[in-house]
Amino acid sequence: MTDPTETPDEATPQDSGNLDGPAVRELADIPAVEVITRAALMLMSAAAEKIGLSAEDPDDSPHRDLDEARRIITALAGLVTASAEYLGPHAGPVRDGLKSLQLAFREASAHPDEPGKGPGEKYTGPVW
């Protein structure tokens, strides 16, 4: 239980009901480009795991789930496309990472999608 004499400045991040705690203020101080980039990196990492890229043999990865990877890559493509103008110098590397995941997905698929029909390609256009 929280001490009733505690001020918002003394609240801890564990105080999930206290929206004025330090964790919220720290997040508020992070520039939008960093929030977007962090979100993109998390999606990239999750997609890579779902494709099986972290395993020595992706075909044998216990985490491989191409249906899940498709969803994540599509969400990433939407984020990257919608925020490209705000990413500045980060836009190129983020787009390159997305394209690499799209190509890895196509390579991992038993029946690859036609160019333009793969995950996220409705946002990015065909990936070759």
Side-chain angles (χ1 to χ4, degrees), residues 6 10 27 42-43 45 58 63-64 66 83 90 94 104 117:
E6 182 178 63
E10 297 169 336
L27 184 59
M42 183 185 333
L43 290 169
S45 295
H63 304 291
R64 186 174 219 172
L66 295 181
S83 61
H90 304 283
V94 171
K117 303 291 183 185

Side-chain angles (χ1 to χ4, degrees), residues 16-67:
S16 59
N18 184 352
L19 296 180
D20 294 328
V24 173
R25 267 186 266 130
E26 289 174 17
L27 184 59
D29 292 338
I30 299 172
V33 67
E34 189 173 340
V35 173
I36 295 166
T37 304
R38 284 183 185 186
L41 289 174
M42 183 185 333
L43 290 169
M44 285 181 190
S45 295
E49 286 286 337
K50 298 294 185 179
I51 294 171
L53 298 178
S54 65
E56 193 171 309
D57 181 2
D59 292 331
D60 291 333
S61 172
H63 304 291
R64 186 174 219 172
D65 186 335
L66 295 181
D67 288 336

